Amino acid sequence: MPHEMKAPGAGLTALPAPAGDPALLRRIDLAWNALTELPEWVGRLPRLEDLRLDGNRLRDLPDLHGLTALRALHLDGNALTRFPESVLRLPELRTLFLYGNAIGELPEGIGLLRGLRHLAVGGNALTSVPAGLWRLTGLASLNLAENSITEVPETIGRLTELRMLDLGHNALTRIPEAIGDLSNLTDYLYLSDNRFTSVPASLGGLTRLTYLNLTDNRLTDLPAAIGGLTALRELRLYGNRLREIPETIGRLRELRELHLMNNALTCLPASVGDLSGLRLLDLRNNAITSLPGSLTGLSRLTHLDLRNNRLREIPGGLADLPALEKLDLRWNKLDDGDPEVLHRLSGRGCVVLR
């Protein structure tokens, strides 16, 4: 089409000349090539709306302030070391992806991009973020993952339009209380691989959140308010130091996956049996000595992983779990080495590993 220049993954090392009048271009897609620089004319395309340059070798950009119609700029996976300041003068910009570069800081002026809806600056070399970022109150998604950020201020609570937030793989030692003000978080909240020792009770206010990842931190317990996350479908808590799970976990009736491996649990609350939507329960590598009889209420459970705990017996009622397809008991030492419950499960086609 005359209004497009598309050659993704074509092995290009230089930008080709457009076939017609470049001023008519609305979309350029040259992702996954080997471009090291862009000609100046790219920054003077008055009708360009979408510029995709992911996966090239760009170290710098020309002045882009002439792209007055640009709505989406994709620059993931390049070699940029500086934030392209001319981007701050793009009035129509809605999407800015700079993931996987080597940018060391964001400008305070980033707050000028008031129309921005999607911002990804993960996988860079950031140690902090400017106050201006928290003025982008129209953001629907924000990715700051895989940096070395040590602090997120309470002003994050201004971003009330966020549906997705990724703060994983940083150096955060606390979660701000204002995280609970992000009432529109629905898709996911990634907080994995940081240095938290606790999470605020305000987290329980995220009543629309469907995916929460708190893995690989230093959590020793969870607030009872975790039971307020009633829309959760998946909860990942592995790689912490949890000694117990609050009874309120049983309120998460929409939960389908609960990942608790690599903690210090010795038991489970009886309310786990109230998780009527649960399909997968992963309890590997804990110190659990017994299972609550209420597990027999998990009528939709298909996978139960109990590897490397301290179990001596298995509730006979597990044989009545109608959907169970796999039970992994390896590296436990049952007093009865060949309990009837396991024969019953195997007999109806459940894979039992012991």
Side-chain angles (χ1 to χ4, degrees):
M1 295 177 63
H3 296 165
E4 293 188 350
M5 178 187 291
K6 295 178 64 176
L12 300 176
T13 58
L15 194 69
D21 182 356
L24 299 178
L25 285 171
R26 294 184 181 275
R27 187 169 193 254
I28 294 176
D29 184 355
L30 296 174
W32 312 115
N33 282 286
L35 302 176
T36 57
E37 60 182 359
L38 299 177
E40 294 292 330
W41 61 262
V42 172
R44 299 191 297 268
L45 301 174
R47 299 187 185 184
L48 194 68
E49 297 178 1
D50 191 346
L51 178 55
R52 296 176 181 253
L53 295 164
D54 298 322
N56 280 281
R57 302 172 186 173
L58 299 170
R59 294 182 178 276
D60 205 355
L61 298 175
D63 189 334
L64 300 177
H65 83 271
L67 303 180
T68 53
L70 195 68
R71 296 179 64 84
L73 178 57
H74 297 258
L75 289 161
D76 290 347
N78 278 281
L80 300 173
T81 58
R82 297 180 301 161
F83 184 92
E85 294 273 349
S86 61
V87 167
L88 302 179
R89 300 162 66 186
L90 303 180
E92 299 299 320
L93 199 62
R94 299 293 181 266
T95 297
L96 177 57
F97 285 172
L98 290 161
Y99 198 97
N101 282 277
I103 297 169
E105 61 179 353
L106 302 179
E108 178 63 35
I110 198 169
L112 297 172
L113 296 172
R114 296 299 179 88
L116 208 60
R117 296 284 290 162
H118 306 283
L119 176 62
V121 287
N124 279 282
L126 304 176
T127 58
S128 63
V129 291
L133 179 63
W134 313 116
R135 292 197 290 271
L136 300 177
T137 54
L139 283 178
S141 67
L142 175 60
N143 188 322
L144 292 167
E146 296 182 61
N147 282 290
S148 299
I149 298 168
T150 58
E151 183 179 7
V152 171
E154 294 294 335
T155 44
I156 193 175
R158 298 174 182 171
L159 307 187
T160 54
E161 296 300 312
L162 278 181
R163 298 194 309 268
M164 301 176 285
L165 175 61
D166 191 346
L167 293 168
H169 309 285
N170 276 289
L172 301 172
T173 57
R174 61 178 293 273
I175 304 171
E177 289 281 342
I179 202 84
D181 296 334
L182 304 180
S183 57
N184 280 309
L185 276 180
T186 52
D187 294 7
Y188 62 74
L189 174 58
Y190 283 109
L191 295 165
S192 57
D193 189 22
N194 279 282
R195 301 171 186 174
F196 308 129
T197 57
S198 63
V199 295
S202 63
L203 197 69
L206 303 180
T207 57
R208 301 174 64 192
L209 188 65
T210 56
Y211 179 101
L212 175 60
N213 190 323
L214 283 163
T215 63
D216 298 311
N217 279 286
R218 302 171 184 179
L219 300 173
T220 56
D221 55 28
L222 296 171
I226 200 80
L229 300 174
T230 50
L232 273 189
R233 297 292 188 92
E234 191 165 332
L235 177 56
R236 291 180 176 263
L237 292 162
Y238 57 78
N240 281 286
R241 302 170 186 177
L242 295 171
R243 296 185 295 267
E244 60 182 6
I245 302 297
E247 283 283 346
T248 53
I249 195 80
R251 299 177 188 169
L252 308 185
R253 303 296 176 84
E254 298 298 319
L255 202 64
R256 295 188 179 186
E257 295 186 19
L258 179 55
H259 298 262
L260 289 164
M261 71 176 188
N262 295 338
N263 277 285
L265 300 173
T266 58
C267 62
L268 295 176
S271 63
V272 167
D274 296 329
L275 301 176
S276 54
L278 204 63
R279 273 71 161 173
L280 183 150
L281 178 56
D282 189 344
L283 295 163
R284 281 176 287 171
N285 302 329
N286 279 282
I288 296 171
T289 58
S290 63
L291 298 173
S294 61
L295 286 186
T296 57
L298 302 180
S299 61
R300 298 184 182 180
L301 193 69
T302 61
H303 290 75
L304 177 57
D305 196 331
L306 296 165
R307 278 177 284 177
N308 196 29
N309 277 281
R310 300 176 183 176
L311 295 169
R312 291 290 183 264
E313 60 182 7
I314 301 296
L318 290 186
D320 298 321
L321 291 177
L324 196 62
E325 298 174 0
K326 183 177 180 180
L327 172 63
D328 199 333
L329 284 164
R330 288 175 289 177
W331 307 301
N332 286 280
K333 296 182 179 179
L334 303 181
D335 288 339
D336 180 352
D338 194 27
E340 175 62 23
V341 57
L342 301 187
H343 286 282
R344 291 175 59 194
L345 285 168
S346 296
R348 65 169 178 78
C350 179
V351 175
V352 177
L353 302 175
R354 49 179 167 158

